[in-house]
Amino acid sequence: MKKEFRESIGRAVGNATLTGALGKFSEAYKVNRAKAYEGIDFEALRSTIAERKSHAAANLELLAETFANNAEALGAKVFRTNDPEQVKEYILKVAQAHDVKSVVKSKSMATEEIHLNAFLEKAGIAVGETDLGEWIIQLAGQKPSHMVMPAIHMTKEEVADLFSKEVDERIENDIPRLVKVARKELRAKFLKADMGISGANIAVAETGSLVLVTNEGNARLVTTLPKVHVALVGIEKLVERFDDIVPILTALPRSATAQLLTSYVSIISGPTPTTDGALKDLHIVLMDNRRSEMANDPKFKQALQCIRCGSCLNVCPIFRLVGGHVFGSIYTGGIGTILTAWFEELHNSEDIQGLCIQCGNCKEICPGKLDIPEMIMEIRRRLVMEKGQPLAQKAIFGIVNNRALFHGMLRAASIAGKPFNSGGFIRHLPLFLSDLTDGRSLPAIAAEPFRDRFPTIQQPADCRETAVFFAGCLIDFAYPEMGEALVRIMNRAGIRVVFPEAQTCCGAPARYSGAYEVAGQNAMDNIQALLADQAEYVVSACPTCTVALAHEFGDTLESLGHREWLPQATALAEKTVDFSTLVKRLVDAGRLTLKEGQQLGALTYHDSCHLKRTLRATEPPRELLRAAGYEVKEMFECDMCCGMGGSYSMKLPELSAPILQRKLHNIKETGAPVVAMDCPGCVMQIRGGFDQDRADVKVKHTVELLAERLES
């Protein structure tokens, strides 16, 4: 990560106005979006959108040709090109043919993508943005920080200063007054403009129609008042049939701004008469700019299902800290990272892709069903393939893939860390490592790891089933007591636990860094180790590890061409289960009984990202904790990332720390003396945070709490 980029992160995080505005919007958005979708089957809706947009992406050439024929039959002129430079030259040629001196624009990310404003201004044509947010950032000399709300990062005080300079009059920061000033200034631009330039939210091949969705009405003025209208449309906006617009229009306002509908939906089907009776000169530019290439890429074709709602930005824990001027280029946030890699160049996404913490919030709420985290991991993989791993990362993963060396170094770290160990925590590290303990303490490496304790555990001889336990690095070397608790619970249910010593890192850190070769070796080593014993289950108390075993090993190995390993990867996936889901099954089957009749008081529960969004196991731990006698008090944003993100908290502690502080605040607001979770990584993050916070809140893994409540 470049020094300048890292400095921009620090400036953004230190900007209380920015983080406050984005934080408040993000918190309100989640609540309001839920209300907006009441009575609508969101999963069914987004499945419909994904199916229709995917169909369009698979038939772009046919749909573009059909659209062009139908639009031209209505009187429009259609120009198609893959080259952004040709787009700009064509629009300039149209402007010069009509002696255009002044252009008004409605919001269009496609024009931002090709830097159209600067190109026209260089040719002597005045360009005025008319979307309020776009006009604000044009006056500020900035680029949009959000695809839907381009000026969300600015305060009303900053806007008042900009307007005051524009009209040469001191304007108070009263919002109705600011809107009145904008209306007056922009109306004059509409009336004298020679050309209007717009984008389009949807382009319908069947009818040759353009669909524009706005709240301010400026797009209607842009497309009706000037005698020349140019619409710049990325070909990903194409849909096949007119009725395909219905699901998109249902989702777009709800997902973008949590509205039931927008103020205006304009459908343009051919040119209309102007004030002098002549037909408007309507030009539609269908721009490719590598979109067809993306449609043919099996990993990235799904990106063309995006409806540009920006909801992925609205729920992103990183975006709400740094905004789009850091997390993005022209397009912002997670989807912006992907579009930057394609519409610009792969290396242009190198810094911004590192901001993604892989929490999966965006995937869960995307109305186009895009798997943004997976595509960002593919960007990382391709960057590593193109440029290689950074030397430090390569050295670290080289150690991790040498199991004997890795485990030996962890044992040595237990001894070397004793001078910094106090009460099981490392609270301060020296010199360049000091950032790692800024805002949270780290767990001390256990003096005796789980793999050394396991042979001493006495298990019943009459167990009827066997479970292979995959501990993961944290339980093995930092929290061995969690592993011991899991063995006790399994034994009580009549399950013997085996612990293959050949197991090693699950490979998630390598995979999430783009080092698929390393992750692939981890996968092969673990498949061999975990399938060596005949067992009914492979159980893990770490959701990240569970996801690796059950969902990622096969994908990683297939991407590396190791198809011969896929049957074994599938066999392992079929046996793998997370701890709480397995225990809930055992309780329901009457094989485990929790002590009843005792009210243990309140606790709150933190949903780890992988447990909720990939394993879909939100209810089993809550039901088990209630059955054990606890009152579960839900915290605000219980499923928002805690900032751990595996190695993310080590790489970017300046972002991890404020996310953690928000989580600690939400936990304390419940008043519960205990917070439970199913992820040892989250335990490390939150327990370490409370250690430095000095708050009297106990942080426990669910396995520890349930082990205390077993009936004899």
Side-chain angles (χ1 to χ4, degrees):
M1 190 170 281
K2 298 183 188 71
K3 179 183 177 183
E4 297 82 1
F5 185 72
R6 192 130 200 175
E7 288 172 349
S8 72
I9 294 173
R11 287 193 297 271
V13 172
N15 184 338
T17 300
L18 174 70
T19 57
L22 294 175
K24 288 176 184 175
F25 171 77
S26 177
E27 290 177 355
Y29 169 81
K30 187 172 183 179
V31 175
N32 293 334
R33 178 188 173 278
K35 291 179 181 177
Y37 271 108
E38 284 178 356
I40 293 176
D41 186 338
F42 177 65
E43 288 303 320
L45 176 64
R46 72 179 190 150
S47 292
T48 299
I49 293 171
E51 183 272 322
R52 296 188 186 184
K53 291 282 285 180
S54 176
H55 172 76
N59 296 276
L60 284 177
E61 179 59 32
L62 175 61
L63 294 188
E65 183 178 346
T66 303
F67 176 88
N69 290 339
N70 289 330
E72 287 170 347
L74 293 170
K77 301 175 181 70
V78 180
F79 176 67
R80 294 175 58 193
T81 181
N82 185 47
D83 186 358
E85 294 303 315
Q86 290 184 10
V87 173
K88 293 188 283 190
E89 292 291 347
Y90 178 85
I91 295 173
L92 178 60
K93 184 178 177 181
V94 172
Q96 291 172 336
H98 290 273
D99 194 28
V100 169
K101 298 291 189 294
S102 173
V103 168
V104 286
K105 287 178 69 236
S106 62
K107 188 158 71 64
S108 163
M109 290 305 300
T111 63
E112 296 282 352
E113 180 184 328
I114 64 172
H115 309 287
L116 180 62
N117 288 15
F119 179 81
L120 294 178
E121 288 167 348
K122 189 175 181 180
I125 298 172
V127 181
E129 296 287 353
T130 64
D131 173 88
L132 180 56
E134 291 282 353
W135 186 51
I136 290 169
I137 63 167
Q138 184 181 35
L139 293 178
Q142 300 177 5
K143 63 181 182 181
S145 66
H146 190 290
M147 286 187 288
V148 177
M149 297 162 284
I152 188 174
H153 61 287
M154 299 189 72
T155 65
K156 61 183 180 180
E157 289 77 17
E158 291 171 324
V159 173
D161 288 341
L162 286 173
F163 284 12
S164 297
K165 293 174 185 175
E166 179 68 9
V167 302
D168 197 24
E169 173 191 342
R170 183 62 224 168
I171 307 296
E172 296 301 317
N173 57 17
D174 174 65
I175 291 178
R177 170 66 176 141
L178 293 173
V179 172
K180 187 175 181 180
V181 169
R183 183 181 293 115
K184 178 183 176 183
E185 294 296 313
L186 292 175
R187 283 297 165 102
K189 295 179 184 291
F190 287 124
L191 293 171
K192 76 172 187 178
D194 306 304
M195 174 189 280
I197 297 177
S198 75
N201 296 92
I202 310 169
V204 184
E206 180 183 48
T207 60
S209 304
L210 300 176
V211 182
L212 285 79
V213 180
T214 66
N215 273 322
E216 299 168 22
N218 61 304
R220 287 194 175 177
L221 294 172
V222 164
T223 58
T224 55
L225 288 179
K227 295 183 179 181
V228 183
H229 172 208
V230 177
L232 176 56
V233 185
I235 59 172
E236 80 281 8
K237 301 297 181 68
L238 287 163
V239 296
E240 182 179 21
R241 301 185 309 274
F242 191 78
D243 65 4
D244 290 339
I245 73 175
V246 175
I248 297 174
L249 291 181
T250 302
L252 185 55
R254 289 174 169 84
S255 289
T257 53
Q259 295 173 264
L260 297 181
L261 72 168
T262 53
S263 302
Y264 302 91
V265 176
S266 304
I267 300 175
I268 299 172
S269 301
T272 54
T274 61
T275 52
D276 61 6
L279 280 181
K280 181 184 295 293
D281 193 19
L282 173 60
H283 296 256
I284 302 172
V285 181
L286 294 179
M287 181 175 70
D288 193 320
N289 192 18
R290 298 194 68 199
R291 287 160 170 84
S292 293
E293 190 180 339
M294 182 183 276
N296 291 321
D297 188 299
K299 293 288 187 180
F300 287 98
K301 62 184 180 180
Q302 60 171 303
L304 299 177
Q305 295 163 202
C306 174
I307 64 172
R308 300 292 191 271
C309 67
S311 59
C312 52
L313 284 61
N314 299 343
V315 299
C316 175
I318 307 303
F319 185 87
R320 74 179 182 184
L321 282 176
V322 300
H325 289 161
V326 174
F327 197 174
S329 179
I330 300 303
Y331 297 95
T332 55
I335 185 62
T337 303
I338 296 157
L339 299 181
T340 297
W342 279 86
F343 298 165
E344 298 180 37
E345 293 182 24
L346 179 64
H347 71 82
N348 285 9
S349 67
E350 185 172 1
D351 282 336
I352 57 177
Q353 61 78 24
L355 294 178
C356 175
I357 199 169
Q358 292 286 311
C359 70
N361 262 359
C362 51
K363 176 183 175 181
E364 192 170 59
I365 54 83
C366 175
K369 292 190 82 170
L370 277 68
D371 191 341
I372 291 173
E374 183 67 26
M375 287 189 280
I376 289 178
M377 283 203 290
E378 178 64 17
I379 288 173
R380 292 174 182 174
R381 186 181 77 87
R382 295 186 186 188
L383 283 167
V384 168
M385 289 175 65
E386 184 179 284
K387 302 183 66 174
Q389 298 178 58
L391 288 177
Q393 179 177 294
K394 188 173 183 179
I396 291 168
F397 290 147
I399 293 169
V400 169
N401 254 6
N402 184 329
R403 182 173 58 85
L405 177 60
F406 178 45
H407 293 165
M409 289 184 69
L410 286 172
R411 293 175 195 275
S414 172
I415 299 170
K418 284 183 178 179
F420 307 103
N421 183 347
S422 174
F425 289 102
I426 296 173
R427 297 188 174 93
H428 303 287
L429 285 171
L431 304 174
F432 63 92
L433 297 174
S434 61
D435 281 353
L436 301 181
T437 52
D438 185 10
R440 65 144 192 214
S441 303
L442 295 174
I445 302 296
E448 186 181 22
F450 178 77
R451 64 182 52 242
D452 290 354
R453 297 186 188 189
F454 181 74
T456 68
I457 298 174
Q458 298 295 315
Q459 300 192 64
D462 58 348
C463 292
R464 52 180 171 169
E465 288 184 314
T466 301
V468 174
F469 176 38
F470 185 82
C473 301
L474 274 176
I475 291 180
D476 197 354
F477 287 93
Y479 302 123
E481 66 278 4
M482 295 180 187
E484 292 176 313
L486 183 141
V487 174
R488 288 201 302 275
I489 293 171
M490 292 296 105
N491 288 171
R492 194 62 57 85
I495 299 173
R496 181 177 69 93
V497 177
V498 295
F499 180 84
E501 288 203 7
Q503 64 179 272
T504 188
C505 176
C506 69
R511 178 179 164 90
Y512 296 160
S513 298
Y516 274 45
E517 289 285 352
V518 178
Q521 187 60 55
N522 291 148
M524 290 184 283
D525 290 344
N526 282 313
I527 288 171
Q528 283 186 319
L530 300 176
L531 292 182
D533 290 282
Q534 292 295 319
E536 286 76 17
Y537 315 101
V538 175
V539 61
S540 176
C542 173
T544 301
C545 296
T546 309
V547 168
L549 272 59
H551 296 271
E552 293 174 352
F553 279 5
D555 178 74
T556 300
L557 293 167
E558 186 169 21
S559 72
L560 294 169
H562 298 312
R563 296 189 60 83
E564 71 278 9
W565 283 88
L566 295 186
Q568 291 168 279
T570 300
L572 176 60
E574 289 173 350
K575 291 184 176 184
T576 300
V577 61
D578 69 275
F579 163 76
S580 283
T581 297
L582 176 57
V583 173
K584 182 65 169 62
R585 289 181 200 163
L586 296 171
V587 169
D588 289 346
R591 295 177 58 182
L592 268 178
T593 306
L594 299 171
K595 293 178 182 177
E596 297 179 352
Q598 223 177 327
Q599 298 303 311
L600 301 176
L603 59 68
T604 189
Y605 186 82
H606 162 70
D607 293 279
S608 64
C609 299
H610 283 110
L611 190 74
K612 176 172 183 179
R613 299 189 182 92
T614 305
L615 301 175
R616 302 290 177 186
T618 57
E619 289 308 310
R622 286 174 167 83
E623 292 173 0
L624 290 168
L625 290 167
R626 290 190 186 102
Y630 290 100
E631 174 197 355
V632 179
K633 295 182 69 174
E634 297 293 354
M635 73 176 89
F636 180 62
E637 294 189 333
C638 60
D639 58 353
M640 184 61 84
C641 182
C642 67
M644 178 61 183
S647 59
Y648 190 95
S649 63
M650 305 289 186
K651 294 176 182 176
L652 288 166
E654 62 267 53
L655 291 175
S656 175
I659 297 174
L660 172 60
Q661 290 305 312
R662 187 186 292 264
K663 176 63 67 174
L664 299 183
H665 170 77
N666 290 340
I667 292 169
K668 287 188 286 187
E669 284 293 294
T670 67
V674 179
V675 55
M677 58 209 68
D678 274 52
C679 175
C682 297
V683 170
M684 170 181 157
Q685 177 83 339
I686 296 173
R687 188 180 286 176
F690 274 128
D691 179 67
Q692 293 211 1
D693 185 84
R694 297 290 188 264
D696 189 19
V697 178
K698 293 181 180 178
V699 181
K700 292 283 191 176
H701 193 295
T702 305
V703 71
E704 299 173 278
L705 294 171
L706 295 182
E708 298 168 358
R709 302 298 301 156
L710 292 174
E711 282 282 9
S712 300

